[in-house]
Amino acid sequence: PFGGFILFRDNCCEPRRISSLCRQLWDTTLNTPPFLAIDQEGGRVHRLPSPFTHFPAAAEIGARRDRDLAYRCGRAAATELALVGNNLNFAPVLDVNSNPLNPIIGDRSFGNEPEQVIDMSSAWLRGLRDGGVIPCGKHFPGHGATEQDSHLALPVVTKSLDDLKAIELPPFAHACRNGIDALMTAHVRYTALDSNVPATLSERIVTGLLRHQLGYDGVVFSDDLDMKAISDNFTPQEAAARAVLAGVDALLFCHELPKAVEACELLCAEAEKEPALRARVENSYRRIMELKRRYLKSFTALTDDEILARLKAMNHQRIVDEVYGSL
C-alpha cells in the first residue's frame, strides 16, 4: 500500500465528506497508518473551504514580526486540520522571497530576509506541531530566487555558493538544527551545488548537503514528481529511482495514479537487485516509521456536527483579524 495520501481542493467539500474520506484512507492500512497530507499554508495556498478559517498568507504573518501571533496561527491551523483527520501539512514555506520576479513563492514566504523567515516560520511550525500535525518545511534548498514556476518548467538558479549560504540556506539550516520533522525538496537546478540535475534528484544536495553537512536525519519528501520540472525531463521510473538514490524518503505523485504504481513497482524490483538502492529504501523506511510512530497514534476526525460546533467555539477568525488589523 501507499505510505500516504494528499488532499487537494477538489477533495475538500463540506466537513463531513472530508472527514469521511480521511477515515476511509486511514482504514486502507491495518498495521501502518497513512500520512493524510494537505497543503494548508494560508493565503492563496488554502485547501479547506468555509466554514474552516482562511488564514493569512505567510507574508502577512511575517510582516507582524510577532512570534506569539505566528505560533497561534500555526496552532490554530493544526487544530482545524486535525478535526477532519489531516495529520501532515506541507508547510511552512522556508524559502526566502529573495527575487521580486519570482512567480511562485512571493507572499507564501514569511519575508525577504533569512532572519525574518527563521523567526516567523519556526514559531508557526511549533504551533502546528503542538496542535498535533506534522510540519514539513519546503522547498529545500530554496525556491525563492527562481524566475520560473517549477510546476511549468525547470528553474535554474545561478547564484554563487556564498550567496546561497547567506540567503537561501539559513532557514533550512536552522530548521535542521531544531529538529523539524520533515522537509520537502525543490525541483530547481542550482548550478553552484549540482549543475546536472534538480535538487530532488541530486545526491550532492540531498545526501551531501542536507544529510551530511546539515546533519539532517528527518523524513525528506519530494515535491510532486508530476510537475513539469521533472516530468518534462525524466520518466516516472527514472525520477523515482534517482530521487531515492539521492536520499529522498517519500515520493509524491499527486495527479496520475498509474505513474505512482509504475514507480513503486520499479523500486520494488530494482531494490531486490541493487544493494545500494535497497539500503536507501531501508533507511527511508526507518525514518518514515519513526515519524509515524511519533504522530499517528489514532484517527482524529470528529462527526460533522462536532466539527461545526468546534469551529464555531474556536472562532479563529479573531486571530486572522489580529494579523490584518494591526498592520
Side-chain angles (χ1 to χ4, degrees):
F2 291 110
F5 306 91
I6 181 169
L7 274 63
F8 288 97
R9 190 167 294 160
D10 290 346
N11 309 118
C12 298
C13 303
E14 66 267 18
R16 173 181 56 81
R17 293 178 65 183
I18 303 170
S19 61
S20 175
L21 173 60
C22 286
R23 165 59 77 180
Q24 292 176 53
L25 295 173
W26 179 273
D27 289 340
T28 58
T29 55
L30 297 176
N31 299 320
T32 306
F35 293 121
L36 299 175
I38 197 166
D39 292 298
Q40 189 77 347
E41 301 172 13
R44 56 194 159 105
V45 182
H46 167 80
R47 307 292 188 232
L48 296 181
S50 178
F52 294 95
T53 307
H54 193 155
F55 291 97
E60 301 283 357
I61 299 170
R64 281 293 314 277
R65 297 180 182 268
D66 183 332
R67 294 179 186 177
D68 176 68
L69 182 56
Y71 173 88
R72 286 186 284 123
C73 285
R75 181 69 181 262
T79 57
E80 295 197 8
L81 291 171
L83 289 178
V84 289
N86 288 119
N87 53 42
L88 168 63
N89 190 8
F90 289 125
V93 168
L94 300 180
D95 306 316
V96 178
N97 188 33
S98 58
N99 181 0
L101 299 178
N102 192 307
I104 188 61
I105 300 302
D107 66 356
R108 297 169 64 194
S109 168
F110 283 93
N112 301 330
E113 302 292 336
E115 294 78 12
Q116 183 179 6
V117 173
I118 289 170
D119 283 347
M120 295 297 100
S121 67
S122 57
W124 191 93
L125 77 84
R126 279 193 301 104
L128 194 77
R129 183 191 287 134
D130 287 352
V133 173
I134 302 168
C136 179
K138 58 190 184 186
H139 308 79
F140 182 82
H143 208 316
T146 67
E147 293 186 4
Q148 289 179 297
D149 179 352
S150 53
H151 293 86
L152 307 175
L154 175 58
V156 178
V157 171
T158 58
K159 279 190 170 186
S160 69
L161 182 58
D162 286 344
D163 283 345
L164 292 175
K165 287 181 176 179
I167 304 297
E168 269 66 41
L169 287 172
F172 294 97
H174 182 274
C176 290
R177 288 194 300 271
N178 287 273
I180 190 170
D181 303 276
L183 289 172
M184 175 183 283
T185 59
H187 297 335
V188 177
R189 186 160 62 87
Y190 304 84
T191 57
L193 300 174
D194 188 332
S195 60
N196 297 315
V197 292
T200 300
L201 310 184
S202 171
E203 186 174 18
R204 292 181 188 176
I205 293 175
V206 181
T207 296
L209 176 57
L210 181 58
R211 298 291 192 201
H212 293 166
Q213 293 184 41
L214 298 182
Y216 186 64
D217 194 43
V219 174
V220 175
F221 288 84
S222 76
D223 206 344
D224 179 11
L225 294 174
D226 283 330
M227 290 162 58
K228 290 186 179 297
I230 300 296
S231 62
D232 280 358
N233 298 288
F234 305 91
T235 67
Q237 297 96 327
E238 184 182 14
R242 282 176 173 258
V244 172
L245 286 170
V248 174
D249 299 307
L251 309 179
L252 269 63
F253 286 91
C254 298
H255 297 285
E256 297 187 40
L257 182 59
K259 289 184 179 180
V261 173
E262 290 172 10
C264 184
E265 290 175 344
L266 171 83
L267 290 172
C268 289
E270 291 300 312
E272 293 297 322
K273 300 183 291 185
E274 297 291 338
L277 181 61
R278 184 179 182 86
R280 291 285 197 192
V281 170
E282 289 174 348
N283 265 331
S284 294
Y285 179 77
R286 170 186 60 82
R287 294 186 189 101
I288 291 167
M289 291 305 296
E290 287 176 357
L291 182 58
K292 287 186 172 184
R293 279 192 288 269
R294 287 204 306 273
Y295 280 91
L296 310 190
K297 301 182 186 302
S298 62
F299 186 68
T300 61
L302 305 177
T303 66
D304 194 41
D305 288 344
E306 290 174 318
I307 293 170
L308 296 176
R310 290 280 187 95
L311 286 172
K312 184 176 180 179
M314 290 171 180
N315 186 25
H316 287 149
Q317 184 61 40
R318 73 188 191 285
I319 299 177
V320 176
D321 293 341
E322 188 175 349
V323 173
Y324 288 123
S326 50
L327 288 174

Short mmCIF file of all heavy atoms in Angstrom, two decimals, residues 214-263:
data_model
loop_
_atom_site.label_atom_id
_atom_site.label_comp_id
_atom_site.label_asym_id
_atom_site.label_seq_id
_atom_site.Cartn_x
_atom_site.Cartn_y
_atom_site.Cartn_z
N LEU A 214 24.45 19.40 6.87
CA LEU A 214 23.49 19.96 7.82
C LEU A 214 23.06 18.95 8.88
O LEU A 214 22.35 19.31 9.82
CB LEU A 214 22.26 20.50 7.08
CG LEU A 214 22.54 21.65 6.10
CD1 LEU A 214 21.25 22.12 5.46
CD2 LEU A 214 23.24 22.81 6.80
N GLY A 215 23.47 17.69 8.74
CA GLY A 215 23.21 16.68 9.76
C GLY A 215 21.76 16.29 9.93
O GLY A 215 21.34 15.88 11.02
N TYR A 216 20.98 16.37 8.86
CA TYR A 216 19.54 16.12 8.97
C TYR A 216 19.21 14.64 8.80
O TYR A 216 19.63 14.02 7.83
CB TYR A 216 18.79 16.94 7.92
CG TYR A 216 17.29 16.85 8.06
CD1 TYR A 216 16.66 17.34 9.19
CD2 TYR A 216 16.51 16.24 7.08
CE1 TYR A 216 15.28 17.26 9.35
CE2 TYR A 216 15.13 16.16 7.22
CZ TYR A 216 14.53 16.67 8.36
OH TYR A 216 13.18 16.58 8.51
N ASP A 217 18.44 14.08 9.74
CA ASP A 217 18.03 12.68 9.64
C ASP A 217 16.52 12.54 9.72
O ASP A 217 16.00 11.46 10.00
CB ASP A 217 18.69 11.84 10.74
CG ASP A 217 18.57 10.34 10.48
OD1 ASP A 217 18.78 9.93 9.31
OD2 ASP A 217 18.25 9.59 11.42
N GLY A 218 15.78 13.62 9.46
CA GLY A 218 14.33 13.52 9.40
C GLY A 218 13.88 13.02 8.03
O GLY A 218 14.69 12.67 7.17
N VAL A 219 12.57 12.98 7.84
CA VAL A 219 11.99 12.48 6.59
C VAL A 219 12.06 13.55 5.51
O VAL A 219 11.69 14.72 5.74
CB VAL A 219 10.54 12.03 6.80
CG1 VAL A 219 9.88 11.65 5.48
CG2 VAL A 219 10.48 10.85 7.77
N VAL A 220 12.51 13.16 4.34
CA VAL A 220 12.57 14.07 3.20
C VAL A 220 11.55 13.63 2.16
O VAL A 220 11.58 12.48 1.70
CB VAL A 220 13.98 14.09 2.56
CG1 VAL A 220 13.97 14.94 1.29
CG2 VAL A 220 15.00 14.64 3.55
N PHE A 221 10.63 14.52 1.84
CA PHE A 221 9.64 14.29 0.79
C PHE A 221 10.11 14.97 -0.49
O PHE A 221 10.68 16.06 -0.44
CB PHE A 221 8.28 14.90 1.18
CG PHE A 221 7.55 14.16 2.26
CD1 PHE A 221 7.84 14.40 3.60
CD2 PHE A 221 6.57 13.23 1.95
CE1 PHE A 221 7.16 13.73 4.61
CE2 PHE A 221 5.88 12.57 2.95
CZ PHE A 221 6.18 12.81 4.28
N SER A 222 9.83 14.35 -1.61
CA SER A 222 9.99 15.06 -2.88
C SER A 222 8.81 16.00 -3.05
O SER A 222 7.74 15.77 -2.48
CB SER A 222 10.02 14.09 -4.05
OG SER A 222 8.71 13.60 -4.35
N ASP A 223 8.98 17.05 -3.84
CA ASP A 223 7.82 17.77 -4.33
C ASP A 223 7.14 16.85 -5.35
O ASP A 223 7.66 15.77 -5.69
CB ASP A 223 8.24 19.10 -4.96
CG ASP A 223 7.13 20.15 -4.91
OD1 ASP A 223 5.96 19.78 -4.69
OD2 ASP A 223 7.43 21.34 -5.11
N ASP A 224 6.01 17.25 -5.85
CA ASP A 224 5.23 16.41 -6.76
C ASP A 224 6.05 16.06 -8.01
O ASP A 224 6.46 16.95 -8.76
CB ASP A 224 3.95 17.16 -7.15
CG ASP A 224 3.07 16.39 -8.11
OD1 ASP A 224 3.31 15.19 -8.34
OD2 ASP A 224 2.11 17.01 -8.63
N LEU A 225 6.27 14.78 -8.23
CA LEU A 225 7.06 14.35 -9.39
C LEU A 225 6.28 14.42 -10.69
O LEU A 225 6.84 14.16 -11.76
CB LEU A 225 7.59 12.93 -9.15
CG LEU A 225 8.59 12.81 -8.01
CD1 LEU A 225 8.94 11.35 -7.74
CD2 LEU A 225 9.86 13.61 -8.29
N ASP A 226 5.00 14.77 -10.62
CA ASP A 226 4.22 15.03 -11.83
C ASP A 226 4.42 16.44 -12.36
O ASP A 226 3.94 16.77 -13.45
CB ASP A 226 2.72 14.81 -11.56
CG ASP A 226 2.33 13.35 -11.51
OD1 ASP A 226 3.00 12.54 -12.18
OD2 ASP A 226 1.37 13.00 -10.79
N MET A 227 5.09 17.29 -11.59
CA MET A 227 5.32 18.67 -12.04
C MET A 227 6.26 18.67 -13.25
O MET A 227 7.14 17.82 -13.38
CB MET A 227 5.90 19.51 -10.90
CG MET A 227 4.88 19.77 -9.79
SD MET A 227 5.62 20.30 -8.21
CE MET A 227 6.51 21.78 -8.69
N LYS A 228 6.07 19.65 -14.13
CA LYS A 228 6.77 19.63 -15.42
C LYS A 228 8.28 19.80 -15.29
O LYS A 228 9.03 19.37 -16.16
CB LYS A 228 6.19 20.70 -16.35
CG LYS A 228 4.78 20.37 -16.83
CD LYS A 228 4.29 21.35 -17.86
CE LYS A 228 2.89 20.98 -18.34
NZ LYS A 228 2.89 19.67 -19.01
N ALA A 229 8.75 20.40 -14.20
CA ALA A 229 10.19 20.50 -13.98
C ALA A 229 10.84 19.12 -13.99
O ALA A 229 11.99 18.96 -14.40
CB ALA A 229 10.48 21.19 -12.65
N ILE A 230 10.08 18.11 -13.55
CA ILE A 230 10.56 16.73 -13.55
C ILE A 230 10.00 15.95 -14.72
O ILE A 230 10.74 15.31 -15.48
CB ILE A 230 10.19 16.03 -12.23
CG1 ILE A 230 10.82 16.75 -11.03
CG2 ILE A 230 10.62 14.56 -12.27
CD1 ILE A 230 12.33 16.73 -11.00
N SER A 231 8.68 15.99 -14.91
CA SER A 231 8.04 15.10 -15.88
C SER A 231 8.42 15.42 -17.33
O SER A 231 8.36 14.54 -18.19
CB SER A 231 6.52 15.14 -15.72
OG SER A 231 6.01 16.44 -15.98
N ASP A 232 8.81 16.67 -17.60
CA ASP A 232 9.25 17.02 -18.97
C ASP A 232 10.67 16.54 -19.26
O ASP A 232 11.11 16.57 -20.42
CB ASP A 232 9.19 18.53 -19.18
CG ASP A 232 7.78 19.03 -19.48
OD1 ASP A 232 6.87 18.18 -19.58
OD2 ASP A 232 7.60 20.25 -19.61
N ASN A 233 11.39 16.12 -18.23
CA ASN A 233 12.80 15.79 -18.39
C ASN A 233 13.18 14.36 -17.98
O ASN A 233 14.26 13.89 -18.34
CB ASN A 233 13.65 16.78 -17.58
CG ASN A 233 13.48 18.21 -18.04
OD1 ASN A 233 13.96 18.59 -19.10
ND2 ASN A 233 12.77 19.02 -17.26
N PHE A 234 12.29 13.70 -17.24
CA PHE A 234 12.58 12.35 -16.76
C PHE A 234 11.31 11.51 -16.80
O PHE A 234 10.21 12.03 -16.57
CB PHE A 234 13.11 12.39 -15.32
CG PHE A 234 14.31 13.27 -15.12
CD1 PHE A 234 14.14 14.60 -14.78
CD2 PHE A 234 15.59 12.78 -15.29
CE1 PHE A 234 15.24 15.44 -14.59
CE2 PHE A 234 16.69 13.60 -15.12
CZ PHE A 234 16.52 14.93 -14.77
N THR A 235 11.45 10.21 -17.05
CA THR A 235 10.30 9.32 -16.94
C THR A 235 9.96 9.14 -15.46
O THR A 235 10.82 9.37 -14.58
CB THR A 235 10.61 7.94 -17.54
OG1 THR A 235 11.62 7.29 -16.73
CG2 THR A 235 11.08 8.06 -18.98
N PRO A 236 8.74 8.72 -15.13
CA PRO A 236 8.40 8.50 -13.71
C PRO A 236 9.34 7.51 -13.03
O PRO A 236 9.74 7.73 -11.88
CB PRO A 236 6.97 7.96 -13.78
CG PRO A 236 6.42 8.47 -15.07
CD PRO A 236 7.57 8.50 -16.02
N GLN A 237 9.68 6.45 -13.74
CA GLN A 237 10.57 5.44 -13.15
C GLN A 237 11.96 6.00 -12.91
O GLN A 237 12.57 5.77 -11.86
CB GLN A 237 10.65 4.20 -14.05
CG GLN A 237 9.34 3.47 -14.21
CD GLN A 237 8.60 3.90 -15.47
OE1 GLN A 237 8.69 5.05 -15.89
NE2 GLN A 237 7.88 2.96 -16.09
N GLU A 238 12.47 6.77 -13.89
CA GLU A 238 13.79 7.36 -13.75
C GLU A 238 13.81 8.37 -12.62
O GLU A 238 14.75 8.40 -11.80
CB GLU A 238 14.21 8.02 -15.06
CG GLU A 238 15.62 8.59 -15.05
CD GLU A 238 16.00 9.28 -16.34
OE1 GLU A 238 15.09 9.57 -17.17
OE2 GLU A 238 17.19 9.55 -16.53
N ALA A 239 12.78 9.20 -12.55
CA ALA A 239 12.70 10.20 -11.49
C ALA A 239 12.64 9.55 -10.12
O ALA A 239 13.32 9.98 -9.18
CB ALA A 239 11.50 11.10 -11.71
N ALA A 240 11.84 8.49 -10.00
CA ALA A 240 11.70 7.80 -8.72
C ALA A 240 13.03 7.20 -8.27
O ALA A 240 13.45 7.36 -7.12
CB ALA A 240 10.63 6.72 -8.82
N ALA A 241 13.70 6.49 -9.17
CA ALA A 241 14.97 5.85 -8.82
C ALA A 241 16.02 6.89 -8.46
O ALA A 241 16.76 6.74 -7.47
CB ALA A 241 15.44 4.97 -9.97
N ARG A 242 16.12 7.95 -9.26
CA ARG A 242 17.11 8.99 -8.99
C ARG A 242 16.84 9.67 -7.65
O ARG A 242 17.77 9.98 -6.89
CB ARG A 242 17.11 10.03 -10.11
CG ARG A 242 17.85 9.59 -11.40
CD ARG A 242 17.68 10.65 -12.47
NE ARG A 242 18.48 10.39 -13.66
CZ ARG A 242 19.63 11.00 -13.95
NH1 ARG A 242 20.13 11.88 -13.12
NH2 ARG A 242 20.28 10.71 -15.06
N ALA A 243 15.57 9.94 -7.35
CA ALA A 243 15.23 10.63 -6.11
C ALA A 243 15.60 9.77 -4.90
O ALA A 243 16.18 10.27 -3.92
CB ALA A 243 13.74 10.97 -6.08
N VAL A 244 15.28 8.48 -4.95
CA VAL A 244 15.61 7.60 -3.83
C VAL A 244 17.12 7.48 -3.66
O VAL A 244 17.65 7.55 -2.55
CB VAL A 244 14.94 6.22 -4.02
CG1 VAL A 244 15.44 5.24 -2.96
CG2 VAL A 244 13.43 6.34 -3.93
N LEU A 245 17.84 7.30 -4.76
CA LEU A 245 19.30 7.22 -4.68
C LEU A 245 19.91 8.53 -4.19
O LEU A 245 20.97 8.53 -3.56
CB LEU A 245 19.88 6.84 -6.04
CG LEU A 245 19.68 5.37 -6.45
CD1 LEU A 245 20.08 5.16 -7.91
CD2 LEU A 245 20.50 4.44 -5.54
N ALA A 246 19.23 9.64 -4.47
CA ALA A 246 19.71 10.94 -3.98
C ALA A 246 19.56 11.07 -2.47
O ALA A 246 20.28 11.84 -1.84
CB ALA A 246 18.96 12.07 -4.67
N GLY A 247 18.59 10.32 -1.89
CA GLY A 247 18.36 10.38 -0.45
C GLY A 247 16.97 10.79 -0.05
O GLY A 247 16.68 10.96 1.14
N VAL A 248 16.05 10.94 -1.02
CA VAL A 248 14.67 11.29 -0.73
C VAL A 248 13.97 10.05 -0.14
O VAL A 248 14.16 8.93 -0.62
CB VAL A 248 13.94 11.78 -2.00
CG1 VAL A 248 12.46 11.99 -1.72
CG2 VAL A 248 14.58 13.07 -2.50
N ASP A 249 13.14 10.25 0.89
CA ASP A 249 12.48 9.14 1.56
C ASP A 249 11.10 8.82 1.02
O ASP A 249 10.72 7.65 0.93
CB ASP A 249 12.33 9.47 3.06
CG ASP A 249 13.66 9.67 3.74
OD1 ASP A 249 14.52 8.79 3.63
OD2 ASP A 249 13.84 10.73 4.39
N ALA A 250 10.32 9.85 0.70
CA ALA A 250 8.93 9.66 0.28
C ALA A 250 8.70 10.42 -1.03
O ALA A 250 9.03 11.60 -1.13
CB ALA A 250 7.96 10.17 1.35
N LEU A 251 8.13 9.72 -2.01
CA LEU A 251 7.93 10.29 -3.34
C LEU A 251 6.47 10.68 -3.52
O LEU A 251 5.57 9.89 -3.26
CB LEU A 251 8.32 9.27 -4.41
CG LEU A 251 9.69 8.62 -4.27
CD1 LEU A 251 9.92 7.61 -5.39
CD2 LEU A 251 10.80 9.68 -4.28
N LEU A 252 6.25 11.90 -3.99
CA LEU A 252 4.89 12.38 -4.25
C LEU A 252 4.56 12.30 -5.73
O LEU A 252 5.28 12.87 -6.56
CB LEU A 252 4.72 13.82 -3.78
CG LEU A 252 4.24 14.05 -2.35
CD1 LEU A 252 5.25 13.51 -1.36
CD2 LEU A 252 3.99 15.54 -2.09
N PHE A 253 3.49 11.58 -6.04
CA PHE A 253 2.86 11.62 -7.37
C PHE A 253 1.42 12.07 -7.11
O PHE A 253 0.60 11.30 -6.61
CB PHE A 253 2.88 10.24 -8.04
CG PHE A 253 4.23 9.82 -8.55
CD1 PHE A 253 5.10 9.11 -7.75
CD2 PHE A 253 4.64 10.15 -9.84
CE1 PHE A 253 6.35 8.72 -8.21
CE2 PHE A 253 5.89 9.77 -10.31
CZ PHE A 253 6.74 9.04 -9.50
N CYS A 254 1.12 13.31 -7.42
CA CYS A 254 -0.13 13.91 -6.94
C CYS A 254 -1.25 13.96 -7.97
O CYS A 254 -2.35 14.41 -7.63
CB CYS A 254 0.16 15.33 -6.45
SG CYS A 254 1.31 15.39 -5.07
N HIS A 255 -1.01 13.50 -9.20
CA HIS A 255 -2.06 13.68 -10.21
C HIS A 255 -2.36 12.43 -11.04
O HIS A 255 -3.50 12.24 -11.46
CB HIS A 255 -1.68 14.85 -11.13
CG HIS A 255 -1.60 16.16 -10.42
ND1 HIS A 255 -2.71 16.86 -10.02
CD2 HIS A 255 -0.53 16.88 -10.00
CE1 HIS A 255 -2.34 17.96 -9.40
NE2 HIS A 255 -1.02 18.00 -9.37
N GLU A 256 -1.37 11.60 -11.27
CA GLU A 256 -1.59 10.44 -12.13
C GLU A 256 -1.21 9.16 -11.38
O GLU A 256 -0.04 8.84 -11.23
CB GLU A 256 -0.78 10.57 -13.43
CG GLU A 256 -1.21 11.76 -14.28
CD GLU A 256 -0.52 11.77 -15.63
OE1 GLU A 256 -0.38 10.70 -16.23
OE2 GLU A 256 -0.12 12.86 -16.08
N LEU A 257 -2.25 8.45 -10.91
CA LEU A 257 -2.04 7.24 -10.11
C LEU A 257 -1.19 6.18 -10.83
O LEU A 257 -0.32 5.56 -10.21
CB LEU A 257 -3.39 6.65 -9.70
CG LEU A 257 -3.34 5.39 -8.83
CD1 LEU A 257 -2.59 5.66 -7.53
CD2 LEU A 257 -4.76 4.91 -8.54
N PRO A 258 -1.41 5.94 -12.13
CA PRO A 258 -0.59 4.92 -12.80
C PRO A 258 0.91 5.19 -12.70
O PRO A 258 1.70 4.25 -12.60
CB PRO A 258 -1.07 4.98 -14.26
CG PRO A 258 -2.48 5.48 -14.17
CD PRO A 258 -2.46 6.47 -13.04
N LYS A 259 1.31 6.46 -12.71
CA LYS A 259 2.73 6.77 -12.58
C LYS A 259 3.26 6.35 -11.21
O LYS A 259 4.38 5.84 -11.08
CB LYS A 259 2.96 8.27 -12.79
CG LYS A 259 2.77 8.75 -14.22
CD LYS A 259 3.13 10.21 -14.34
CE LYS A 259 2.98 10.72 -15.77
NZ LYS A 259 3.33 12.15 -15.90
N ALA A 260 2.46 6.57 -10.18
CA ALA A 260 2.88 6.17 -8.83
C ALA A 260 3.02 4.65 -8.74
O ALA A 260 3.97 4.13 -8.14
CB ALA A 260 1.87 6.67 -7.80
N VAL A 261 2.08 3.94 -9.34
CA VAL A 261 2.13 2.48 -9.32
C VAL A 261 3.37 1.99 -10.06
O VAL A 261 4.09 1.10 -9.58
CB VAL A 261 0.85 1.89 -9.93
CG1 VAL A 261 0.96 0.37 -10.07
CG2 VAL A 261 -0.37 2.26 -9.08
N GLU A 262 3.63 2.56 -11.23
CA GLU A 262 4.80 2.16 -12.01
C GLU A 262 6.09 2.42 -11.24
O GLU A 262 7.00 1.58 -11.23
CB GLU A 262 4.82 2.93 -13.34
CG GLU A 262 3.73 2.53 -14.33
CD GLU A 262 3.70 3.47 -15.53
OE1 GLU A 262 4.64 4.28 -15.67
OE2 GLU A 262 2.74 3.38 -16.32
N ALA A 263 6.16 3.56 -10.61
CA ALA A 263 7.37 3.90 -9.86
C ALA A 263 7.57 2.95 -8.69
O ALA A 263 8.69 2.49 -8.42
CB ALA A 263 7.29 5.34 -9.37
#
